[in-house]
Amino acid sequence: MALIVQKYGGTSVGNIERIRNVALRVAQTYDAGNEMVVVLSAMSGTTDNLIRLAHEACERPDKRELDVLLATGEQTTVALLAMMLKSMGYKATSLLGHQAEVVTDCACGSARILNIGASRIRRLLADGQIVIVAGFQGADIHGNITTLGRGGSDTSAVALAAALKAAVCEIYTDVDGVYTTDPNICKKAQKLSRISYDEMLEMASLGAKVLQIRSVEFAKKYNVPVHVRSSFKEEEGTMVMQEDADMERLVVSGVTCNKNEARITLKGVPDRPGIAFRILNPIAEAGILVDMIIQNTRTGNITDFTFTVPKTDLREAVEISRRVAEEIGAEEVMSDANIAKVSVIGVGMKNHSGVASRMFAAMCEENINMLMISTSEIRISCIIEEKYTELAVRALHTTFGLDKPEETLP
Ligand code: ADP
Ligand code: ASP
Ligand code: MG
């Protein structure tokens, strides 16, 4: 008997028929003699609709109340699944985040899980129950409902698997595994049978939304084997696991893109010590995450300072930048939301030179201008105009030899 955590994403619980399909899968795994904890997302589109509603109610919804609202999406699906399983004759109980003792920090909208008590889950499991937990939510130490950021149900599931020392955390989604790139963008993407935590961390942080990045951080930290697979098919998906000696070390193993960033440039900034701090500190204090940063020196003691922020924070970041620009005597503030970041990732890059130039050659061949570039030990990213995203992803996928052989294309 093993303890298995299964997480079903929004598409997998998108309507009653699909929830019934989930109930059958859960029942099957339970009947095979396993202990079961099931984590659910809201029905696909629900969280977006709730966010839209909140913005109809007021321009800047209060973050605490927004979390109270967003948490209702997952409350609906866990109740529906639990009542179906009960009507099929199984013992099942649905729990909201706080009932499952998911304790988070107070950062509404992007809270981090601090601890999972799970004593009630253990008691229910000991009673032979199937436990169904609402993903994406927890509560802070004051008892306020919090949510974990978009895609947060993945993190709920892996964190629960870690807390309960589950044998495996199965992530059921609308694709049958982790691919070399988003299979919905590139038909030649190949399914990976295994991927290391480190590569998956990079892929997730650079835009592969198949797993939320924090879920991979948890998986790596607590060594939870994660199996990403389809809720519509039986076949095995992708194991996300510790890197081992047999893992194929391709120079580049994945290509990602992210359209959720925007760029801000302060032009004509005086070039003196402390300026980067003056510009970025108020942005950080507003809780806005800065990703890429570049500074170009012009003639004289003048520079242009450019950085990227999440698109959702662009307005606030521009307001702050305008204020700072005035204080430090910069010429002007420009912003651009029509950008995307494309990246190539691979642990094999550590021991290979020339990866960057191959990437740049591919972009040049497609006549795509790179606006910003950044690198780490196992990835290279560049910012381009958003309209070229798909073209760039496909070109890089081909350049680094990741395309499926022609004869296996559907
Ligand atoms: P869920 O609702 O099940 O959590 P998501 O929409 O969050 O599903 O994540 C699955 C989606 O991730 C896929 O439909 C696919 O478009 C996207 N995706 C992006 N990059 C990849 C990748 N490298 N491999 C697989 N899927 C990817
Ligand atoms: N429902 C949440 C979202 O749409 C969480 C999740 O699906 O993982 O982001
Ligand atoms: Mg998701």
Side-chain angles (χ1 to χ4, degrees):
M1 184 168 76
L3 169 54
I4 296 177
V5 175
Q6 294 189 335
K7 176 256 169 177
Y8 292 88
T11 322
S12 310
V13 293
N15 56 41
I16 287 292
E17 208 177 306
R18 289 188 176 171
I19 300 178
R20 211 177 296 288
N21 170 50
V22 169
L24 292 174
R25 270 188 181 260
V26 170
Q28 201 178 22
T29 314
Y30 179 84
D31 288 341
N34 299 296
E35 290 186 304
M36 298 284 303
V37 174
V38 184
V39 177
L40 298 186
S41 289
M43 291 178 170
S44 54
T46 297
T47 310
D48 288 333
N49 283 338
L50 291 169
I51 293 173
R52 216 169 295 131
L53 258 181
H55 284 97
E56 277 173 29
C58 47
E59 201 184 331
R60 289 192 189 178
D62 177 82
K63 287 188 172 174
R64 180 194 181 277
E65 304 312 330
L66 185 60
D67 273 3
V68 174
L69 181 71
L70 296 191
T72 62
E74 274 70 13
Q75 180 161 353
T76 308
T77 49
V78 291
L80 289 170
L81 180 64
M83 60 180 80
M84 269 182 200
L85 282 165
K86 281 177 171 166
S87 74
M88 288 159 64
Y90 291 88
K91 288 208 277 187
T93 300
S94 65
L95 296 177
L96 299 181
H98 67 276
Q99 294 172 315
E101 298 154 69
V102 179
V103 182
T104 71
D105 64 16
C106 303
C108 290
S110 57
R112 284 179 177 272
I113 295 178
L114 301 175
N115 180 46
I116 299 187
S119 60
R120 186 158 174 194
I121 298 182
R122 285 200 187 88
R123 277 201 306 280
L124 290 165
L125 288 173
D127 181 42
Q129 301 239 12
I130 297 170
V131 185
I132 302 153
V133 181
F136 179 54
Q137 56 176 266
D140 66 15
I141 47 163
H142 310 293
N144 294 307
I145 292 173
T146 52
T147 65
L148 311 179
R150 299 309 304 269
S153 299
D154 298 330
T155 303
S156 307
V158 178
L160 271 165
L164 295 163
K165 300 197 170 45
V168 61
C169 181
E170 298 181 333
I171 304 281
Y172 286 90
T173 182
D174 57 1
V175 285
D176 54 6
V178 178
Y179 279 70
T180 46
T181 193
D182 187 341
N184 289 318
I185 292 182
C186 178
K187 293 287 162 250
K188 294 179 181 171
Q190 301 194 59
K191 191 170 98 180
L192 303 163
S193 58
R194 303 186 306 165
I195 183 169
S196 69
Y197 291 129
D198 285 333
E199 281 172 318
M200 193 64 236
L201 267 178
E202 289 283 352
M203 298 248 311
S205 74
L206 294 166
K209 71 166 182 163
V210 63
L211 286 177
Q212 197 200 35
I213 178 163
R214 286 183 191 165
S215 72
V216 192
E217 286 168 1
F218 264 103
K220 182 178 176 194
K221 188 166 173 195
Y222 297 100
N223 214 354
V224 181
V226 175
H227 187 180
V228 180
R229 54 196 309 193
S230 164
S231 59
F232 305 107
K233 295 182 188 164
E234 288 303 325
E235 71 211 44
E236 300 266 299
T238 303
M239 286 306 300
V240 186
M241 56 197 281
Q242 208 75 256
E243 189 180 342
D244 68 28
D246 305 339
M247 243 173 217
E248 206 181 341
R249 275 186 194 77
L250 294 172
V251 177
V252 166
S253 52
V255 179
T256 60
C257 61
N258 178 358
K259 295 181 178 178
N260 299 326
E261 286 185 20
R263 183 168 69 130
I264 296 179
T265 300
L266 280 82
K267 297 201 85 132
V269 174
D271 188 9
R272 56 169 191 263
I275 283 294
F277 175 75
R278 288 282 295 278
I279 297 171
L280 296 180
N281 189 47
I283 301 273
E285 278 180 348
I288 298 173
L289 289 176
V290 170
D291 179 24
M292 286 195 194
I293 303 168
I294 51 169
Q295 185 176 320
N296 284 329
T297 306
R298 289 205 235 149
T299 46
N301 286 335
I302 297 284
T303 73
D304 292 337
F305 192 92
T306 304
F307 57 97
T308 62
V309 295
K311 258 181 200 162
T312 45
D313 294 324
L314 180 62
R315 220 163 83 182
E316 194 179 353
V318 167
E319 277 170 22
I320 296 170
S321 300
R322 291 226 164 95
R323 238 180 12 244
V324 174
E326 211 163 295
E327 283 166 24
I328 62 177
E331 283 164 14
E332 66 171 322
V333 175
M334 290 162 60
S335 66
D336 183 1
N338 298 319
I339 59 160
K341 181 165 71 173
V342 289
S343 311
V344 297
I345 296 140
V347 283
M349 232 181 255
K350 286 183 203 169
N351 312 314
H352 280 81
S353 57
V355 182
S357 60
R358 271 170 79 188
M359 178 173 187
F360 303 158
M363 304 295 259
C364 168
E365 216 155 276
E366 297 295 342
N367 225 355
I368 301 172
N369 196 19
M370 291 179 290
L371 308 170
M372 295 169 90
I373 298 164
S374 86
T375 62
S376 83
E377 210 182 14
I378 65 166
R379 70 152 171 101
I380 305 167
S381 302
C382 60
I383 298 284
I384 59 172
E385 278 182 74
E386 187 175 349
K387 63 182 177 193
Y388 297 124
T389 313
E390 286 76 14
L391 178 62
V393 166
R394 290 186 202 118
L396 293 172
H397 200 265
T398 303
T399 289
F400 288 102
L402 298 174
D403 287 354
K404 256 186 227 174
E406 291 294 336
E407 61 271 22
T408 66
L409 284 174

